[in-house]
C-alpha cells in the first residue's frame, strides 16, 4: 500500500483551515466585528466565499489522503481518495501493465524536478501513476519495491538512456 497525505502536509494546512473557520464565522456574524456597521453590504458575501475557499483548501490539506493498494493475488491495483477515510475508488487490472517506470519530469525556475513512479501500460494505454517525489533515491527505492513485489521489470527513464532491470535484479547496485 502506498499512502500520501497527512504528516507535514497536514501541519501546512492548519493555518488555512483556521483562517477559513474564522473568516466564515465572521461572515455569518457569529464572531462580531467592532466596526460591523462600516462594512459594506457586498463585503459579507465576499467574506463568506473567501472563508469557504480557505476551508476547502485547509480541509483538503489537513484531512485529504490518497491510497494505492497493489493486490498481486487478485491482480488489481486499487486507487482511493478521501478525507481520513476513502470516499472514491478506482480499480485497474495489473495484467494490463508490463513494467514499473521511473522517469524524470524536469521543472523550471519555479518548480523542482520530480521523479514519478508509474506502472507502464502494455498496449499504449494510460500509465498508472503511483507516486512522485523530488528525491531520486526515494522514487528509485519505491520503484524497486513495486517491481520486486509484482515481478515486473524496472524501467529507469530518468536519464537520456533508458535502462531496464529485471525484477530479480532491482536490488543490485547500479553499474
Amino acid at each position: 500500500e502506498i499512502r500520501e497525505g497527512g504528516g507535514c502536509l497536514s501541519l501546512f494546512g492548519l493555518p488555512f483551515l483556521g483562517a477559513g473557520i474564522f473568516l466564515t464565522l465572521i461572515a455569518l456574524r457569529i464572531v462580531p466585528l467592532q466596526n460591523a456597521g462600516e462594512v459594506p453590504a457586498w463585503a459579507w458575501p465576499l467574506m463568506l466565499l473567501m472563508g469557504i475557499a480557505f476551508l476547502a483548501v485547509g480541509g483538503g490539506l489537513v484531512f485529504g489522503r490518497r491510497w494505492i493498494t497493489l493486490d498481486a493475488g487478485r491482480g488489481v491495483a486499487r486507487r482511493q481518495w478521501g478525507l481520513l477515510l476513502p470516499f472514491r475508488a478506482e480499480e485497474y487490472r495489473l495484467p494490463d501493465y508490463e513494467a514499473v517506470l521511473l522517469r524524470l519530469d524536469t521543472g523550471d525556475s519555479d518548480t523542482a524536478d520530480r521523479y514519478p513512479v508509474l506502472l507502464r501500460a502494455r498496449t499504449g494505454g494510460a500509465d498508472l501513476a503511483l507516486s512522485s517525489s523530488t528525491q531520486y533515491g526515494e522514487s528509485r527505492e519505491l520503484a524497486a519495491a513495486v517491481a520486486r513485489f509484482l515481478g515486473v521489470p524496472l524501467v529507469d527513464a530518468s536519464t537520456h538512456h533508458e535502462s531496464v532491470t529485471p525484477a530479480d535484479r532491482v536490488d543490485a547496485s547500479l553499474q
Side-chain angles (χ1 to χ4, degrees):
E1 185 172 81
I2 302 167
R3 299 177 188 177
E4 291 183 354
C8 290
L9 203 55
S10 292
L11 293 176
F12 180 73
L14 281 175
F16 291 97
L17 184 63
I21 291 169
F22 188 65
L23 199 52
T24 302
L25 292 176
I26 289 173
L28 295 174
R29 299 182 188 170
I30 295 171
V31 173
L33 294 177
Q34 276 186 327
N35 63 341
E38 299 172 18
V39 177
W42 58 266
W44 297 106
L46 183 63
M47 277 191 271
L48 182 62
L49 287 174
M50 288 179 59
I52 291 170
F54 273 86
L55 275 171
V57 170
L61 290 171
V62 171
F63 302 114
R65 304 289 188 271
R66 185 179 100 163
W67 302 265
I68 297 177
T69 306
L70 302 173
D71 188 344
R74 287 185 41 223
V76 296
R78 183 175 178 90
R79 186 166 39 180
Q80 299 171 303
W81 297 271
L83 299 173
L84 296 179
L85 297 173
F87 292 151
R88 183 172 172 234
E90 295 175 347
E91 281 195 357
Y92 303 89
R93 289 176 16 89
L94 287 175
D96 294 342
Y97 300 96
E98 65 183 356
V100 177
L101 175 65
L102 173 61
R103 94 175 168 225
L104 168 65
D105 288 346
T106 55
D108 55 19
S109 61
D110 294 329
T111 58
D113 292 347
R114 300 206 60 85
Y115 297 93
V117 177
L118 308 106
L119 289 179
R120 179 184 270 178
R122 283 191 189 278
T123 56
D127 295 338
L128 176 61
L130 299 178
S131 181
S132 182
S133 173
T134 57
Q135 302 296 316
Y136 173 79
E138 186 178 307
S139 289
R140 174 76 166 74
E141 188 176 316
L142 174 65
V146 171
R148 190 179 336 84
F149 178 71
L150 296 178
V152 297
L154 168 61
V155 178
D156 189 340
S158 62
T159 64
H160 296 295
H161 303 288
E162 191 174 276
S163 67
V164 179
T165 308
D168 59 341
R169 303 260 313 134
V170 294
D171 292 325
S173 63
L174 298 174
Q175 299 295 325

